Amino acid sequence: EPEVTQTPSHQVTQMGQEVILRCVPISNHLYFYWYRQILGQKVEFLVSFYNNEISEKSEIFDDQFSVERPDGSNFTLKIRSTKLEDSAMYFCASSGTSGGDRNEQFFGPGTRLTVL
Amino acid sequence: DAKTTQPNSMESNEEEPVHLPCNHSTISGTDYIHWYRQLPSQGPEYVIHGLTSNVNNRMASLAIAEDRKSSTLILHRATLRDAAVYYCILTLFGGSQGNLIFGKGTKLSVKP
């Protein structure tokens, strides 16, 4: 069964450093998303991406964040200058095919980001 | 996004049915009802969705009230693996073109 993969599983960084979180969505999907979950809290939407551009973003997704689909398979989330409060589990998700049911978002296993 | 209300927690015995309720009194005519779950230390997982009619799939059933102001996720025979947080989420246009707004969900415990 196809699945969303994410790397690395755990990233530790110093405050102020840039990090790039990587995701490989399901190959024929068209819609891509990033969510985050701070330990013990709700899953929060960050951004959605379709047709090589951002379609929606939340207030959390400020100018320190960016997303990119550099090739036909990867989808990345970059945080330019990490802050302590960016420590969270980051989930990538994808959905939608050209002709099938687009109601199901498939989530990856997540990348745990720890900012020291 | 329309708001949903779910109990914070529920308990079930293994191999018994579980009915997880969700109230969404401000639902609009174009809102779909989605259910996702999150097993411990994993990403959310799609369970089922519907618009007006009851729905069944291999994981669960979704019963939608006639006025659509509430719905119930039914797990027909709970297993230990079903212990998770279950989220009831309303989305516009089926959700795949937009974000999912997660609440706190219902934490389901399953006792052997």
Side-chain angles (χ1 to χ4, degrees), chain B residues 45-82:
Chain B
E45 174 187 31
Y46 168 84
V47 177
I48 201 166
H49 78 276
L51 184 62
T52 56
S53 303
N54 295 344
V55 184
N56 299 295
N57 67 19
R58 62 177 178 82
M59 288 181 71
S61 295
L62 176 59
I64 301 173
E66 198 170 328
D67 63 5
R68 300 208 327 124
K69 293 185 176 181
S70 65
S71 61
T72 302
L73 179 70
I74 302 166
L75 307 179
H76 296 286
R77 286 180 72 240
T79 69
L80 296 178
R81 195 192 173 275
D82 291 322

Side-chain angles (χ1 to χ4, degrees), chain A residues 1 31 33 35 37 41-45 48 55-56 89 91 95-96 101-109, chain B residues 32 34 36 38 41-46 49 58 87 91 93-104:
Chain A
E1 187 173 329
Y31 304 88
Y33 313 84
Y35 294 81
Q37 186 174 31
Q41 298 188 25
K42 299 184 295 185
V43 177
E44 300 173 291
F45 167 76
S48 60
S55 47
E56 271 189 276
M89 182 73 90
F91 295 108
S95 71
D101 185 353
R102 299 185 292 172
N103 286 292
E104 179 179 354
Q105 290 189 23
F106 291 78
F107 284 76
Chain B
Y32 281 74
H34 283 79
Y36 280 75
Q38 188 173 23
S41 302
Q42 295 191 28
E45 174 187 31
Y46 168 84
H49 78 276
R58 62 177 178 82
Y87 301 98
T91 63
F93 300 135
S96 64
Q97 297 179 51
N99 65 81
L100 297 172
I101 302 296
F102 288 82
K104 294 182 179 179

Side-chain angles (χ1 to χ4, degrees), chain A:
Chain A
E1 187 173 329
E3 58 182 16
V4 176
T5 59
Q6 291 185 242
T7 55
S9 57
H10 190 190
Q11 173 92 46
V12 180
T13 189
Q14 295 290 326
M15 188 170 56
Q17 295 296 304
E18 174 184 287
V19 294
I20 297 176
L21 309 182
R22 292 183 166 80
C23 168
V24 179
I26 293 172
S27 62
N28 60 348
H29 279 182
L30 302 175
Y31 304 88
F32 313 110
Y33 313 84
W34 283 101
Y35 294 81
R36 79 173 187 189
Q37 186 174 31
I38 296 170
L39 188 63
Q41 298 188 25
K42 299 184 295 185
V43 177
E44 300 173 291
F45 167 76
L46 293 178
V47 66
S48 60
F49 193 85
Y50 170 71
N51 200 26
N52 285 319
E53 61 182 27
I54 291 173
S55 47
E56 271 189 276
K57 61 182 180 179
S58 71
E59 291 180 353
I60 302 169
F61 194 88
D62 61 23
D63 57 8
Q64 290 299 306
F65 291 87
S66 61
V67 289
E68 194 178 32
R69 188 154 162 83
D71 52 42
S73 60
N74 291 285
F75 180 51
T76 62
L77 174 70
K78 183 195 296 188
I79 308 174
R80 288 189 183 79
S81 178
T82 51
K83 297 176 277 196
L84 295 176
E85 53 264 39
D86 293 327
S87 295
M89 182 73 90
Y90 288 80
F91 295 108
C92 172
S94 69
S95 71
T97 62
S98 59
D101 185 353
R102 299 185 292 172
N103 286 292
E104 179 179 354
Q105 290 189 23
F106 291 78
F107 284 76
T111 292
R112 178 165 299 285
L113 176 65
T114 301
V115 182
L116 303 176

